Amino acid sequence: MTDERSSATRSGEHPPDDSDDTPSDTPSDDEDTGESTSASGTTSHSLSLESFHDACQQAGRPVLTAGAVARALDRPHEAISEDLDALTERGALERLSVSTDPVVWYPSELEDLTDRERVVVFPKRREIIVDRPDQFTRAQLAQFAHLADGNGEEGYRYVVRPEDIWQAPHDSFDELARTMRQALGQRSRALEDWVESQWDRAHQFRLTTHEEGYTVLEAKSPEVMGNVARQKLDEEHVHAPISETEDWVREGAEAAIKRILYEAGYPVQDHRELEAGEQLDIELGVSLRDYQQTWVDRFAEAGEGVFVGPPGSGKTVAAMGAMAHVGGETLVLVPSRDLARQWAEAIEEYTSLEPDQIGQYHGGQKNVRPVTIATYQIAGMDRHRSLFDDREWGLVVFDECQHVPSDVYRRSTHLQSRHRLGLSASPIREDDRQTEIFTLVGPPIGTDWQALFEAGFVAEPELEIRYVPWGDDEQSNAYASADGRERYRIAARNRGKIDEVRYLLSAHPGSKSLVFVDYLEQGRDLSDALDVPFLSGETPHHERRRLLEEFRRDERDLLIVSRVGDEGIDLPTADLAIVASGLGGSRRQGTQRAGRTMRPAGGALVYVLATRGTREEDFARRQLQHLGRKGMTVREETIEREDDASDGQ
């Protein structure tokens, strides 16, 4: 299988050798093929502008002598000089005589060196470095690689992981290989061989439904069944062998089997004939953005998945698009009753469903309807489970699905449905159990954050870590004599942060602002100091709802929010977010808090306060590194106390 881009070779270059980890550089199409025919009829290679660019990149300079070009391309000096003259006559190059060297050459459009896309492949490390990729390249890469670093100024670093291949949205390896060659502009044999091996691993096992209704685990060969499945699984998972390549699965053990084999490096294809539930016609009342439609299309192909995107990217609306595609009764699981109410309101607003078709099931009300929004805790309780088990759901949606691997939430994943969909801004866990999200719910489906920033769908907030001095010596001395968690608590509650919050609010007058805290005492102190409401888990639901509605309607421009605001409620977007404490939390928490400022309008700011000279400095850098890799710019600023400044005068 060939590709137009992969078949192009540049003059004087040799094909990349994938036997080592030498980077293979991507050619790009050029009108000048670099070939000419001599009078004798033999073909000789002439210099193309593309090859000149390559020589410049190799030399690290935008201007070169003829000798430098010849050395870079391993071509005779005389032949190169003639080719340089020819390119100059065509206007592709300029020449300049200088005193230290007779002539130097440079492209007529020097910016071409920096504006063009370049792809470098490191096969052994399975890394791909891309400088200024276009949207097509990024879309193709997203189908088989993970964006590890997204700093657009310094290029993009993609890593090809096993799980990226296991969940690639293709029906055959040939289709996947074609996508790879389109993205890379070349064929990397070593990388493709490894990808093919992972593709084969992902198609060794599958779950099917026997004609008598029970589930069967099938293996591609007796060897893989005996050496892998029957070594890893026991009587808790399977009843007995049916044949050399088939095992009879115990009811309810499907999720455990998928997780165990996934961890062994063999993801299971789920081809069970699950009940689709009663038909429910749903029409979406809004148009999906292109990337949202891509999410829905990929979900439709796989029948399951996790929509991964930054807060504000419209995962909830995309989920409604998936509901419309499935056209069946739907159960939505959420972390809190506040989110259940917001989901119900959004479904009523954005779909054709009537209020009497939408139910909520939690501590506040218990109504099971064709579309039901329930909390994870309720759905996992034995006395309520039968209500959900007895109904045949066409789709189960797991909102904030990064919680699913936890012992409390995972019981809800035993509910069976034909389709499963998860939603998460950051499906990572500090306990490294994130792979369970994809075995319990489905593979990740998403768009890299930087692409959404650049397209203007989501604004990229400016992040700044501000290292704040102690507010008084009493707390500083207490920190020095404390240890463990107590040191962290003292640093987090540094009273100097109150003055810094005041300063930042005054520096951004008129901004809609959210201040995040991890400690109730600190929240109350800030509330008293600023005369602003403090929204926490202790705030009654009706009061919480009123405050948030006032903030949304611009009747209130400042709220102090405890950890409950990170995921348990759907906070409105803000212009300014100040994280006063919470740096010992998870990377996911940093994502959620930064995400509160993401929206199509620009100018959003996130300030993270860390007590200077304490462990909070390391926590801040660690937490925000994750966001830096997603393409956000992170700055650092050290704040001096007034008496510190005066001492230095």
Side-chain angles (χ1 to χ4, degrees):
M1 187 179 307
T2 60
D3 180 83
E4 289 181 359
R5 292 172 67 186
S6 64
S7 63
T9 57
R10 288 165 293 186
S11 61
E13 292 191 350
H14 303 285
D17 181 5
D18 286 339
S19 61
D20 60 18
D21 209 22
T22 302
S24 46
D25 203 3
T26 300
S28 62
D29 294 331
D30 194 284
E31 294 180 2
D32 181 6
T33 63
E35 293 185 352
S36 61
T37 304
S38 66
S40 62
T42 60
T43 300
S44 63
H45 291 283
S46 62
L47 180 68
S48 69
L49 179 60
E50 177 71 17
S51 297
F52 185 85
H53 282 310
D54 294 330
C56 289
Q57 180 130 344
Q58 183 175 329
R61 300 191 304 274
V63 294
L64 297 177
T65 64
V69 177
R71 286 192 297 274
L73 302 181
D74 193 21
R75 296 272 310 283
H77 188 288
E78 183 179 352
I80 284 293
S81 296
E82 293 176 359
D83 291 342
L84 290 171
D85 286 334
L87 285 175
T88 303
E89 290 178 7
R90 298 210 323 260
L93 296 180
E94 298 289 342
R95 58 184 296 165
L96 178 67
S97 296
V98 293
S99 58
T100 56
D101 206 316
V103 178
V104 294
W105 310 80
Y106 60 92
S108 299
E109 298 290 342
L110 271 178
E111 55 267 27
D112 287 351
L113 274 175
T114 58
D115 289 345
R116 66 194 184 112
E117 173 185 292
R118 294 188 69 82
V119 181
V120 183
V121 182
F122 295 89
K124 277 193 175 180
R125 299 206 306 263
R126 298 190 292 277
E127 289 189 0
I128 302 164
I129 309 299
V130 192
D131 185 36
R132 288 170 175 77
D134 60 29
Q135 287 300 106
F136 173 80
T137 300
R138 289 171 65 171
Q140 298 299 86
L141 285 167
Q143 297 185 51
F144 66 89
H146 167 70
L147 179 64
D149 290 292
N151 189 335
E153 292 299 317
E154 298 177 6
Y156 297 78
R157 183 173 69 90
Y158 288 85
V159 179
V160 186
R161 307 167 302 178
E163 55 265 37
D164 300 316
I165 305 308
W166 298 345
Q167 66 213 16
H170 295 282
D171 294 328
S172 69
F173 171 72
D174 286 344
E175 292 181 6
L176 174 56
R178 184 183 302 115
T179 296
M180 290 178 61
R181 293 168 195 171
Q182 289 173 344
L184 305 180
Q186 60 185 310
R187 179 174 183 175
S188 175
R189 287 186 178 86
L191 183 59
E192 282 190 20
D193 287 346
W194 179 84
V195 168
E196 186 171 15
S197 72
Q198 293 301 318
W199 178 270
D200 287 341
R201 290 177 79 95
H203 293 81
Q204 294 295 320
F205 292 102
R206 66 174 189 161
L207 291 172
T208 62
T209 301
H210 193 272
E211 60 183 12
E212 295 184 12
Y214 57 84
T215 301
V216 175
L217 175 66
E218 292 183 359
K220 199 170 183 179
S221 68
E223 290 76 19
V224 75
M225 174 62 86
N227 295 333
V228 180
R230 289 174 182 163
Q231 297 294 323
K232 299 288 183 181
L233 306 177
D234 53 34
E235 62 273 8
E236 294 182 8
H237 309 109
V238 294
H239 288 288
I242 301 173
S243 70
E244 288 186 330
T245 59
E246 298 173 306
D247 277 1
W248 178 9
V249 173
R250 287 188 180 275
E251 185 176 357
E254 295 87 353
I257 289 172
K258 290 168 71 174
R259 176 177 55 81
I260 290 169
L261 292 181
Y262 187 100
E263 290 173 350
Y266 291 89
V268 179
Q269 303 290 313
D270 196 339
H271 294 167
R272 289 175 293 164
E273 296 176 4
L274 298 173
E275 296 294 334
E278 294 293 327
Q279 183 176 344
L280 181 65
D281 292 330
I282 303 174
E283 294 182 9
L284 200 59
V286 294
S287 297
L288 295 178
R289 297 167 179 166
D290 289 344
Y291 68 86
Q292 291 172 319
Q293 187 61 58
T294 299
W295 292 354
V296 174
D297 291 343
R298 288 185 61 179
F299 165 79
E301 291 175 6
E304 60 183 12
V306 176
F307 289 168
V308 180
S313 59
K315 295 184 294 295
T316 301
V317 173
M320 295 178 202
M323 290 168 57
H325 165 77
V326 170
E329 297 194 345
T330 300
L331 174 64
V332 181
L333 297 174
V334 297
S336 71
R337 69 169 71 176
D338 288 295
L339 275 178
R341 173 185 57 79
Q342 290 158 13
W343 260 93
E345 292 173 352
I347 291 171
E348 184 178 344
E349 179 179 357
Y350 295 120
T351 74
S352 58
L353 296 177
E354 298 295 332
D356 60 0
Q357 295 176 290
I358 306 167
Q360 297 180 53
Y361 201 98
H362 47 69
Q365 55 179 291
K366 294 180 173 62
N367 299 308
V368 178
R369 304 274 171 76
V371 173
T372 300
I373 305 101
T375 58
Y376 285 100
Q377 293 88 338
I378 288 285
M381 291 181 180
D382 291 335
R383 65 178 182 271
H384 299 290
R385 279 281 302 279
S386 61
L387 288 171
F388 302 110
D389 281 335
D390 293 344
R391 199 166 191 126
E392 294 176 350
W393 304 103
L395 172 66
V396 176
V397 178
F398 300 86
D399 195 11
E400 303 289 358
C401 68
Q402 64 273 3
H403 295 297
V404 162
S406 68
D407 295 335
V408 174
Y409 284 26
R410 71 183 297 136
R411 297 189 67 189
S412 62
T413 64
H414 296 163
L415 295 166
Q416 296 301 314
S417 67
R418 173 166 288 188
H419 302 285
R420 290 174 170 227
L421 175 64
L423 309 179
S424 181
S426 188
I428 57 172
R429 293 177 59 87
E430 303 307 304
D431 57 10
D432 292 327
R433 293 172 68 183
Q434 54 262 28
T435 56
E436 293 187 33
I437 299 170
F438 308 129
T439 59
L440 294 169
V441 180
I445 299 170
T447 303
D448 70 71
W449 289 28
Q450 188 69 28
L452 298 183
F453 297 154
E454 292 177 359
F457 290 121
V458 180
E460 175 185 356
E462 297 179 31
L463 275 71
E464 181 171 291
I465 309 173
R466 296 177 71 83
Y467 302 113
V468 181
W470 290 104
D472 53 58
D473 293 335
E474 178 186 353
Q475 281 189 311
S476 175
N477 295 333
Y479 178 86
S481 59
D483 55 24
R485 294 287 300 173
E486 182 62 14
R487 294 191 105 195
Y488 168 69
R489 187 187 67 80
I490 295 170
R493 295 183 57 197
N494 172 15
R495 286 187 284 271
K497 293 181 179 180
I498 295 178
D499 291 336
E500 188 62 24
V501 170
R502 276 203 188 98
Y503 166 76
L504 292 172
L505 292 173
S506 65
H508 303 284
S511 296
K512 292 185 66 176
S513 308
L514 295 171
V515 180
F516 292 97
V517 298
D518 249 19
Y519 291 92
L520 294 178
E521 300 95 325
Q522 184 185 30
R524 296 187 189 109
D525 290 344
L526 278 165
S527 177
D528 292 340
L530 302 174
D531 192 23
V532 172
F534 174 39
L535 196 155
S536 72
E538 297 178 350
T539 308
H541 284 282
H542 69 276
E543 178 71 4
R544 194 185 300 177
R545 183 174 181 176
R546 181 184 65 81
L547 291 171
L548 291 173
E549 285 302 321
E550 290 176 355
F551 193 91
R552 286 190 181 91
R553 295 195 300 262
D554 296 332
E555 297 170 5
R556 184 179 296 279
D557 60 8
L558 176 60
L559 284 176
I560 301 167
V561 184
S562 75
R563 189 186 291 237
V564 72
D566 294 339
E567 295 168 350
I569 57 177
D570 183 17
L571 282 173
T573 54
D575 307 306
L576 176 68
I578 303 173
V579 181
S581 63
L583 301 178
S586 65
R587 289 168 287 169
R588 184 185 69 248
Q589 188 179 69
T591 300
Q592 291 283 348
R593 290 177 171 178
R596 300 308 178 190
T597 65
M598 293 182 187
R599 57 182 188 168
L605 299 166
V606 179
Y607 292 105
V608 176
L609 308 186
T611 299
R612 199 173 72 200
T614 71
R615 291 175 60 196
E616 275 201 317
E617 287 195 9
D618 295 331
F619 283 134
R621 292 191 183 97
R622 183 188 68 182
Q623 194 180 54
L624 296 183
Q625 262 182 352
H626 171 62
L627 295 174
R629 287 194 294 269
K630 289 183 176 295
M632 297 187 193
T633 302
V634 181
R635 300 189 304 268
E636 298 180 65
E637 183 74 26
T638 298
I639 311 303
E640 300 289 342
R641 258 170 57 173
E642 288 187 11
D643 52 350
D644 291 341
S646 61
D647 289 343
Q649 290 179 352

